[in-house]
Structure formats: C-alpha cells, structure tokens
Amino acid sequence: MKTWKKFLSLGLASLMTMSTVACGSTSGKSNKSSKDSGGKTEVTFWNSFTGADGDMLVSLVDKYNKENKDGVKVKMDISTDLDSQLSSAFAAGTGPTLLLSSSTYRFTYGKYLQDISDIFDKTGLDKSDFISSYLDYCSDGDKLYFVPFQLVGYYMYWNKDLFKEAGLDPEKGPATWDEWKQDAEKITNKSKNIYGSGISYGYNYQIAHIMQRFGGLAVTKDSNKWKANFAENEGYKKFLKMYSDMVKNGDNPQEKETDPMMTAGQIGMTVGGPWVTAGLDKAGVNYGIGQIPTGDAGEMNSCEVLGFSVTKNASDKQKEAAYKFIKWWNTADKNGDSPALQWSLKNGYPAYMTSVMNNAQYQENKKLQAMTPANADAPTDFICDSSFEGINGILSDVIPPMINSVAFDQSSIDDALKTAQNSADGIVAKYNK
C-alpha cells in the first residue's frame, strides 16, 4: 500500500496502483444483479491497496472465495485512483457493493453509503469486542458507515545507538516534551551531522499529531457551531516555541524531509506512522517504538481509521453477502486465528478489537505492543473533531504556512497563530452555514 505518510487527503489519499488481480476485474463497474456464474451472490469489492499488503489482501479474498460456505463470491478491484473511479461510477449510477477506504470518505461519498449499524445484529459479531472510540470515528451520530479494518496512527521512534552514545537509556524514549527537548540537545552532534530531534516543517500530518498533544484540537464544536482554536492557544504557542528553539539551537534540522535522515542514522527521535519501521529495518537501524509523549492537552489516541462500507449500489442480498465477508474477516477460528489478526501481525498495524489485542501472537509482538495504546478508548480525533468535514483545509491550507513561517523566522509565533486563525476561520465558516 502506498505510504500513508503525507497521506489521506481526507478523502484522505487514494491508496494506489491499478492492477488486475486474480480474484476480480478492474472494470470499475457493478450492477444490481446478485447473480454470479456459480449461482453465488457476487460482492464487488473496491479498494486501493497495492504492494505487499495488497498481495496479502488478494490472497485472503481468494481464500474466502475458495472456502466460504456462505454462497458468496467476492470480486475485487484494486485501483490507483480510487477517488476518480468512485466519482465516475457513482455519477453513472454504478459502483461497488463493498468499499474499503478511509472512514473520512463518509464526508465525500456519504450519500452513496448505507447505514450499516445493523451489522452486529445481522451477523452476530460482538459489538463490544470493537474498541468503541474507533467505531465512533466511523459513525455520524447513531449511524455507522464503516466497520474498522486498519488503524493509521503515529508513533515515536528513537535511535537506540544514538541514545546510548548520548548517555541516555536506549530502551526508553522520552515520556514528556520537556524530556524530548532535553534529550535532543544531548544527542545532537554537529560534527557528525546528527540531530537529536526530527520534526519536519514539511510534514503537516506529523506536525498536527504533535501540536494537538500540546494544545488540543484545532477545530471543535461550541454551541452547535464549529470553532477554530489557533489564536491565543497556549499549547500551540508552546509547541511552536519548542520547535523554533530546537531549530535555532541546531538540535532539529531545517529540512522538509527528515524520515530519510532517520533511516540514515542522523536523527535521534522522530514521529511517524507504522511504515517508518520498514525503512529502519532495511537500513539496520537499532530503534525503539513508543507512544507519542502526552502534553498539556492530556491523553489521546489520535489516528485515522480505515474501514469496510457498503454502498447504496448494493441490493439487500448483496448487502447481506458483504456482511458475511466482513464477519469472516473479524471472526477467529478454533485456533484463535482470523484475517484481522493476520493483517496486524504481517503488516504491523495495531488492532481495533479487544480479542485480537488479547491473542497470544499479538501479545508476543513487541512492535505491535508498543503501538497499542494503554487506553484504546482515549479520544481518537485527529487535529479536528472527527465530524468536521473541513479537516482537509486545516491540514493543507492552515498548518503548513504556520509552521513554515516559524521554521524560517518569517513571523513571530503570535503572528503565525493569528494568521492561522484567520485562515481557519474562513474554512470553518463554510461549514457553519
């Protein structure tokens, strides 16, 4: 799957490489008929997973098609440009039965998605087994539009060898942002081009995950109206001051891309998604993983939830068939194994179900344990209230100019926040009409 780093253009990124797969066509077409060549109910399943995780998805769908006794055949289509494919199909009155995407697609394509709140009653899946905060992220009021499939969170990574060289405990990353700043100063070695901290002015998702730890959400609801929270936000001021100080002191590079520097062993600490591990493993970096330090805003578990949804293109029979596939994905066999568990173990994404978290194989996986929050029910909202449809604008039009102006000393922190507030107010106003 394409790196979800800069990611999720909320529609959030289209996930990516059009390929014809063994278990389905790439026609981009679907119809209301539930007949299939074998007399089975056909579920057309669209997503944009490629690479190793795409191969795994193909394999699992093939397994279901060969082994299920549900009378269902899943016909999968993987696309490089899911947004365009969906837009064209929905406009033409066609489209998939089953969709796998960011749950924020409910903002863009909500009128084409069915409320699937009855899936637990219809299938016997245990709703209480799903972490409630992730289900909330996939919902709008009492309507559920997605069943979780994958969590895209951000985590703290540190270079154990650089920690040891600096006299720090290599098995323990900083627990607070004050410790982060102090550790960064100790790790920095200008003669070796090594920086203690790897926060990038060009990485708006990284910035957002960090700054909300300091000052909370950038957009919240107040008296049933959306409200932007940049100007006079003491937490945001504190974050920008810390970042500015580290750049000026030479403890954080003034670079747009810091992940390659982390992989090259030039960065002591950074924040990124699960995909960071692949580069570090390949480069042979000795690293640790942990939760992003908390800040003044308190405990949180900010993440993006990808999930299964059923479109209004599906007949009642196809909807029932799609439910059976989703149930299969999330149901353990007699050995405690399930596709959901295997997806976490092989692709390195933390679980969204308590039963998977409690599985022995999951418990023995150190990376997954480090990525699994102590309190999975902590708020999952990412930078904005999860119901705010204008999050894209905040991420692309507000945060980058703000952090850039501070990184390059173009304006004071107060002025940067005032400018951000004005920009955010303009975005928020569109959704308060």
Side-chain angles (χ1 to χ4, degrees):
M1 176 182 167
K2 182 179 178 179
T3 301
W4 281 73
K5 172 182 172 181
K6 304 280 190 233
F7 88 122
L8 304 169
S9 74
L10 270 90
L12 280 166
S14 300
L15 303 159
M16 313 56 238
T17 289
M18 175 74 89
S19 62
T20 302
V21 296
C23 56
S25 74
T26 53
S27 65
K29 302 282 186 176
S30 178
N31 56 58
K32 291 287 185 180
S33 171
S34 61
K35 291 197 304 181
D36 187 37
S37 57
K40 296 183 177 181
T41 302
E42 183 176 281
V43 172
T44 51
F45 176 30
W46 290 11
N47 62 81
S48 48
F49 279 73
T50 60
D53 53 2
D55 292 341
M56 182 178 179
L57 188 57
V58 169
S59 177
L60 287 168
V61 169
D62 279 343
K63 176 180 173 65
Y64 178 75
N65 283 334
K66 292 174 183 176
E67 298 179 2
N68 88 82
K69 301 186 186 308
D70 299 326
V72 175
K73 179 180 179 181
V74 177
K75 189 175 183 182
M76 189 162 69
D77 176 37
I78 296 178
S79 171
T80 52
D81 191 354
L82 189 59
D83 276 326
S84 296
Q85 186 182 10
L86 283 171
S87 296
S88 298
F90 286 148
T94 62
T97 305
L98 180 66
L99 175 66
L100 174 57
S101 69
S102 164
S103 59
T104 57
Y105 272 41
R106 70 190 186 279
F107 297 145
T108 309
Y109 303 109
K111 65 182 179 180
Y112 301 107
L113 304 180
Q114 295 196 42
D115 175 10
I116 55 175
S117 302
D118 62 351
I119 190 170
F120 301 104
D121 292 332
K122 295 286 188 181
T123 64
L125 279 172
D126 183 0
K127 185 176 181 179
S128 66
D129 193 19
F130 290 76
I131 304 301
S132 60
S133 61
Y134 302 140
L135 287 177
D136 290 344
Y137 201 105
C138 297
S139 304
D140 183 7
D142 59 357
K143 294 182 178 180
L144 179 70
Y145 289 102
F146 290 83
V147 172
F149 166 84
Q150 178 174 289
L151 308 178
V152 184
Y154 275 49
Y155 310 95
M156 172 179 63
Y157 296 85
W158 68 93
N159 184 312
K160 292 184 178 182
D161 293 337
L162 294 182
F163 264 59
K164 189 173 182 179
E165 289 175 16
L168 300 168
D169 184 351
E171 301 305 320
K172 184 180 178 183
T176 67
W177 290 104
D178 286 339
E179 288 181 11
W180 178 291
K181 188 176 181 181
Q182 294 163 8
D183 291 351
E185 185 177 359
K186 294 175 182 177
I187 293 167
T188 297
N189 187 327
K190 296 178 182 179
S191 66
K192 294 183 178 180
N193 199 31
I194 289 173
Y195 298 84
S197 173
I199 299 174
S200 167
Y201 73 84
Y203 195 167
N204 52 350
Y205 283 83
Q206 180 199 62
I207 296 295
H209 275 283
I210 297 173
M211 65 184 278
Q212 79 174 74
R213 261 78 179 171
F214 283 79
L217 299 178
V219 177
T220 52
K221 187 165 280 190
D222 184 21
S223 300
N224 212 33
K225 290 281 189 178
W226 293 116
K227 174 180 176 291
N229 304 308
F230 285 89
E232 304 304 321
N233 186 315
E234 294 301 322
Y236 289 178
K237 286 184 184 180
K238 186 175 179 180
F239 162 67
L240 292 174
K241 178 69 164 56
M242 180 193 79
Y243 173 71
S244 176
D245 286 348
M246 290 194 299
V247 169
K248 290 177 180 177
N249 295 339
D251 297 330
N252 194 104
Q254 200 173 32
E255 298 287 341
K256 187 174 183 178
E257 296 282 350
T258 53
D259 278 0
M261 297 178 69
M262 182 72 185
T263 301
Q266 294 176 271
I267 296 290
M269 302 169 289
T270 193
V271 168
W275 50 83
V276 173
T277 63
L280 296 177
D281 288 339
K282 186 175 181 180
V285 176
N286 181 22
Y287 65 95
I289 311 173
Q291 297 296 310
I292 301 173
T294 55
D296 294 341
E299 187 179 35
M300 61 184 67
N301 176 29
S302 60
C303 66
E304 174 60 21
V305 183
L306 281 63
F308 295 110
S309 61
V310 178
T311 77
K312 291 182 179 178
N313 193 59
S315 66
D316 289 344
K317 192 170 184 180
Q318 288 171 320
K319 181 179 181 180
E320 181 183 351
Y323 277 10
K324 290 177 179 177
F325 175 72
I326 296 171
K327 178 183 180 179
W328 172 79
W329 187 273
N330 293 295
T331 301
D333 62 19
K334 62 182 180 181
N335 298 315
D337 199 7
S338 68
L341 171 63
Q342 288 304 312
W343 193 262
S344 285
L345 293 174
K346 294 185 179 179
N347 292 317
Y349 288 90
Y352 51 84
M353 298 174 71
T354 302
S355 59
V356 174
M357 291 180 184
N358 291 336
N359 180 275
Q361 293 181 74
Y362 189 96
Q363 291 280 325
E364 293 166 2
N365 189 301
K366 292 183 179 180
K367 288 184 182 179
L368 288 175
Q369 286 301 299
M371 291 179 177
T372 302
N375 178 12
D377 278 318
T380 58
D381 306 80
F382 169 50
I383 203 56
C384 298
D385 183 295
S386 60
S387 296
F388 181 62
E389 296 184 37
I391 183 173
N392 247 354
I394 300 298
L395 285 165
S396 62
D397 300 331
V398 179
I399 291 176
M402 179 193 70
I403 194 69
N404 269 267
S405 67
V406 173
F408 295 99
D409 208 20
Q410 297 166 339
S411 65
S412 69
I413 289 173
D414 283 338
D415 286 344
L417 287 171
K418 287 178 184 177
T419 300
Q421 181 70 36
N422 289 336
S423 297
D425 283 343
I427 294 169
V428 165
K430 298 176 183 177
Y431 299 92
N432 278 332
K433 294 180 180 179

